[in-house]
Amino acid sequence: MKRALFPGSFDPITLGHYDIILRGIKLFDEVVVAIGINSEKKYMFSLEQRKDFIEKAFKNHPQVKVVTYEGLTIDFCKKIDAQFILRGLRNPADFEFEKAIAHTNRKLSKIETVFLLTSSKTSFISSSIVRDVIRNHGDYTQLVPDSVKL
Ligand code: ADP
């Protein structure tokens, strides 16, 4: 069984994440969306809300699982027997950042990172911009799956 972990904060899930996950399940038998817990980070949405938004968005896709985890991503991959890490790439900044992490993960484990290029329709979307729109009472609904509700 080919299992990929899609790690991130998902604060909240956006149509950019949604697109990568939908394309990911065409490549893998299972995509595990893994919400990383970082006690030093401040989030707009609670862990439960973030998990609920993703679960509802994929309620008709049994190949998508949603979990939370702490610690190193590669350790969690080993724990759940995920052979791949799935990541999205939007721009050169994402590439440079992801390259260093993927090389480190490859040095520390056998886990392969697979990158999908963002779709043109969603390439500009980030959770931080969505949070800014929400804070300033803008129409965030065009940027996120319908399951994301305030
Ligand atoms: P982090 O907290 O690690 O930045 P995010 O939740 O923002 O995590 O993102 C998780 C993954 O989703 C990353 O690989 C990121 O590049 C990808 N991603 C985020 N937004 C988009 C988008 N609009 N298109 C494609 N990939 C995206």
Side-chain angles (χ1 to χ4, degrees):
M1 149 104 114
K2 281 197 180 134
R3 182 179 286 124
L5 191 85
F6 184 48
S9 310
F10 306 103
D11 187 29
I13 182 171
T14 69
L15 290 179
H17 299 129
Y18 186 79
D19 170 71
I20 297 287
I21 299 164
L22 273 190
R23 288 160 59 204
I25 53 176
K26 293 191 186 143
L27 300 172
F28 303 103
D29 300 313
E30 189 174 286
V31 171
V32 179
V33 183
I35 311 175
I37 304 174
N38 179 348
S39 52
E40 284 172 13
K41 246 182 164 177
K42 280 230 182 307
Y43 298 102
M44 173 171 269
F45 295 98
S46 71
L47 196 55
E48 292 69 32
Q49 283 175 306
R50 284 180 279 148
K51 190 161 182 269
D52 186 58
F53 294 156
I54 307 169
E55 278 169 352
K56 289 202 171 119
F58 290 98
K59 61 177 191 297
N60 297 324
H61 294 88
Q63 317 94 301
V64 179
K65 304 270 183 300
V66 190
V67 299
T68 61
Y69 76 106
E70 269 177 293
L72 280 184
T73 304
I74 49 167
D75 288 343
F76 188 66
C77 285
K78 286 178 200 152
K79 190 169 159 195
I80 66 159
D81 194 24
Q83 311 89 340
F84 304 93
I85 293 175
L86 176 64
R87 297 291 281 176
L89 290 178
R90 284 164 290 189
N91 49 46
D94 270 358
F95 173 75
E96 288 301 330
F97 179 73
E98 295 292 343
K99 186 174 92 159
I101 298 177
H103 277 150
T104 309
N105 285 339
R106 191 84 183 112
K107 185 106 189 143
L108 302 182
S109 73
K110 290 198 169 61
I111 293 155
E112 227 19 292
T113 304
V114 175
F115 298 101
L116 288 182
L117 194 63
T118 179
S119 295
S120 50
K121 290 182 301 228
T122 51
S123 62
F124 63 96
I125 304 176
S126 69
S127 293
S128 63
I129 291 179
V130 170
R131 292 196 297 276
D132 242 27
V133 172
I134 292 174
R135 263 187 223 106
N136 293 290
H137 314 289
D139 179 14
Y140 64 93
T141 59
Q142 303 173 46
L143 306 171
V144 296
D146 291 342
S147 60
V148 177
K149 296 266 164 16
L150 294 189

